[in-house]
Amino acid sequence: MQQSPKVTIIGAGVSGLCAAIALKNAGITAQIIEAQSSLGGRVQTTLKDNLILDHGFQVLLDSYPAAQKYLDLKTLDLVKFAPGAIIYKGGKSTKVGDPTRDASFLWATAFSSIGSIKDKLKMFSLSRKLKQKSLKSIFEAKEISTLEYLKQEGFSEKIIENFFKPFYAGIFLETELSTSSRMFEFVFKMFSEGSATLPSTGIAAISIQLARQLEEGQIQLNSSASRVQGSKITMDDGTQVHSDYTIIAGQADRLIPNLPISNLQWHEVTVLYFKTNHKGFGKPIIGLVADKGTLTNNFHFLQDLFKGHDNVISVSVVKAHEHEEHELAARVRMELKEYCHIDLGEVIEVKKIKKALPNLRNINYCMESTETQLTDHIYLAGDHLSNGSLNAAMLNGEVAAQAVIDKIEGKVLVG
Ligand SMILES: Cc1cc2nc3c(=O)[nH]c(=O)nc-3n(C[C@H](O)[C@H](O)[C@H](O)COP(=O)(O)OP(=O)(O)OC[C@H]3O[C@@H](n4cnc5c(N)ncnc54)[C@H](O)[C@@H]3O)c2cc1C
């Protein structure tokens, strides 16, 4: 009897997990090797004194096509963020948002000083335009920086500085809006078609739910690969594993020397959790600091999201910095007091994520299945091949799995 080929996935992040699910759906049980002691890659939550602390503030846009395919959104019990933000500038706050989705934004947005009436009307027409624009045309469009794009669309300097820069800095994890206009259009479209959400038990619920779709024993934690050569995987401890087909669902340059995608640059972020006496905003909404020169980019109150989380605030610092934790905490405490009149108490946790989002040019929606094949035995997955999003991570896992399935089923003529 012919033995079924052995398929190994390196990395139990969202991409590796989706690759394993796609393979399982085709009747192939892959083994996942994960270096860390927990699955999920960049999608991590820890519980500390019963507090849900995500490793970096990230949201699931429930309009992501891949999320709708791979996740049971209902079971995740998603908490939706209000479609807007509270913007702090010069010590004053203003509430802005999409009044067509949340009527409470109507007056505040109409009279807010973040931009002109023309800017606000442009925002609605951009939303309408992008709802109609296909994902294919978004990712085929000429790529310019988001800043250039917004200027071309006719937005004023004022709304760019007061709204787009702080809002998208929190999403792109860079403060200059240098991220590709394709990514801007994609994210803006996803926001227009759905909501920014968080599972009621934290972001890691996503990876946990993906892992539950696999069989027990499929994921091997605390197992780091150091080299992949042909059908041989060498582990950090020197042991060797045979694998007919290996999907590397993470950065592959450490495993395969001289890869064209080596030298990948990353955007970092630091999230700080503090105690605070502030009562929160009363609903899940993001606070943004639009003052130039501040390190603080955005914050939200955990009590607005999770039950039993009174008096905890999560603050994100997007700008790269070299501060020690205590220095950064002191700086953030000073900024929230001065610019937002919010008193912060003791620090609960600080998490600096050096490799949060890949800094990419020439981004695509997801890879073609054939493009994921590196050699006869090696395939690539991961968000960094397309764009830094959960959607791309999921889809690139799927297409790499499809390439392996095609190879096994003999549908591929070359390779
Ligand atoms: C702070 C932050 C905010 C974000 N915000 C958003 C957001 O709001 N919306 C959104 O859509 N996306 C967001 N993202 C991006 C999203 O989290 C990623 O796109 C996604 O998690 C990437 O998944 P991945 O599987 O491609 O990579 P990873 O999650 O990096 O997984 C790779 C896995 O491979 C493992 N691995 C690597 N090398 C080896 C080896 N040699 N041996 C064994 N295992 C190995 C790693 O340990 C890791 O578990 C954010 C990310 C961060 C960190």
Side-chain angles (χ1 to χ4, degrees):
M1 203 175 82
Q2 209 190 339
Q3 257 199 335
S4 46
K6 188 166 177 216
V7 183
T8 311
I9 297 167
I10 300 180
V14 164
S15 204
L17 293 169
C18 285
I21 295 170
L23 285 161
K24 187 180 168 221
N25 292 342
I28 300 164
T29 307
Q31 190 66 29
I32 309 185
I33 291 173
E34 169 54 53
Q36 303 301 317
S37 55
S38 58
L39 57 85
R42 274 170 274 157
V43 179
Q44 299 281 339
T45 305
T46 41
L47 272 183
K48 187 174 179 181
D49 300 331
N50 286 326
L51 293 175
I52 296 167
L53 306 179
D54 286 345
H55 296 202
F57 174 47
Q58 69 177 299
V59 290
L60 174 72
L61 298 178
D62 58 4
S63 45
Y64 280 158
Q68 292 172 4
K69 180 168 181 183
Y70 282 97
L71 297 170
D72 175 358
L73 298 178
K74 223 174 165 161
T75 309
L76 286 176
D77 188 24
L78 298 173
V79 183
K80 290 185 181 185
F81 277 89
I86 297 178
I87 301 177
Y88 292 82
K89 185 149 191 204
K92 289 190 183 139
S93 69
T94 169
K95 193 169 143 187
V96 288
D98 183 350
T100 61
R101 283 149 40 105
D102 182 338
S104 72
F105 283 117
L106 184 62
W107 292 110
T109 304
F111 293 109
S112 94
S113 57
I114 60 148
S116 62
I117 296 281
K118 200 172 132 210
D119 283 324
K120 291 167 198 167
L121 292 175
K122 272 190 182 304
M123 200 94 101
F124 294 119
S125 56
L126 184 61
S127 169
R128 256 202 324 271
K129 181 173 100 177
L130 292 178
K131 269 187 193 169
Q132 280 155 16
K133 193 166 176 177
S134 71
L135 290 168
K136 188 169 180 291
S137 10
I138 285 178
F139 283 92
E140 278 173 2
K142 183 170 174 271
E143 205 177 30
I144 51 176
S145 74
T146 295
L147 182 60
E148 219 178 311
Y149 174 90
L150 292 171
K151 285 181 180 167
Q152 278 184 16
E153 286 292 314
F155 286 105
S156 73
E157 197 68 28
K158 195 173 178 190
I159 198 160
I160 291 175
E161 289 300 324
N162 290 343
F163 174 72
F164 285 110
K165 273 198 178 168
F167 191 76
Y168 281 90
I171 296 169
F172 297 155
L173 305 184
E174 53 89 8
T175 53
E176 302 306 313
L177 296 181
S178 59
T179 299
S180 164
S181 51
R182 290 180 188 164
M183 196 61 186
F184 173 81
E185 284 200 329
F186 171 58
V187 173
F188 200 98
K189 177 179 172 71
M190 292 295 107
F191 269 117
S192 304
E193 292 176 356
S195 301
T197 71
L198 260 182
S200 64
T201 54
I203 196 76
I206 291 173
S207 34
I208 293 167
Q209 194 188 80
L210 292 173
R212 286 204 178 126
Q213 296 174 50
L214 300 174
E215 282 158 31
E216 216 161 291
Q218 257 188 277
I219 306 172
Q220 199 180 313
L221 300 173
N222 300 307
S223 307
S224 180
S226 60
R227 192 81 192 255
V228 182
Q229 252 176 324
S231 57
K232 196 171 67 188
I233 302 173
T234 308
M235 305 299 292
D236 275 1
D237 64 7
T239 54
Q240 291 193 334
V241 179
H242 171 83
S243 172
D244 295 299
Y245 303 108
T246 302
I247 298 176
I248 304 178
Q251 244 186 295
D253 48 357
R254 194 171 77 87
L255 299 166
I256 304 168
N258 306 321
L259 264 188
I261 50 163
S262 55
N263 250 336
L264 188 60
Q265 304 293 307
W266 292 83
H267 295 304
E268 69 172 57
V269 66
T270 308
V271 64
L272 303 95
Y273 292 95
F274 291 90
K275 288 197 171 154
T276 174
N277 286 330
H278 198 284
K279 296 282 171 261
F281 292 134
K283 65 174 173 184
I285 188 165
I286 291 165
L288 295 173
V289 181
D291 291 281
K292 275 191 177 158
T294 54
L295 278 183
T296 306
N297 171 252
N298 67 70
F299 60 90
H300 61 273
F301 296 94
L302 265 55
Q303 68 223 51
D304 294 337
L305 295 169
F306 308 128
K307 281 190 199 114
H309 280 62
D310 288 355
N311 309 114
V312 183
I313 187 170
S314 159
V315 184
S316 294
V317 168
V318 169
K319 277 189 192 137
H321 65 88
E322 292 304 327
H323 291 296
E324 297 289 332
E325 283 186 8
H326 70 278
E327 290 169 346
L328 185 67
R331 171 86 183 256
V332 166
R333 200 177 271 120
M334 180 275 287
E335 288 180 355
L336 280 231
K337 174 81 183 159
E338 187 174 336
Y339 297 103
C340 315
H341 313 297
I342 296 173
D343 287 312
L344 300 184
E346 75 182 73
V347 178
I348 299 168
E349 187 79 54
V350 178
K351 296 229 175 273
K352 183 169 182 173
I353 299 116
K354 288 291 281 177
K355 291 183 173 184
L357 283 183
N359 180 1
L360 303 169
R361 292 277 165 276
N362 197 13
I363 63 165
N364 59 74
Y365 180 59
C366 74
M367 300 287 279
E368 291 290 329
S369 147
T370 48
E371 289 168 350
T372 63
Q373 182 172 356
L374 190 69
T375 69
D376 261 2
H377 302 276
I378 306 171
Y379 296 76
L380 302 178
D383 66 338
H384 61 287
L385 302 175
S386 294
N387 66 76
S389 70
L390 292 163
N391 191 66
M394 289 177 179
L395 291 178
N396 282 342
E398 175 183 296
V399 292
Q402 191 55 52
V404 171
I405 295 163
D406 288 347
K407 180 86 178 175
I408 291 172
E409 291 177 351
K411 290 185 198 157
V412 183
L413 298 176
V414 286

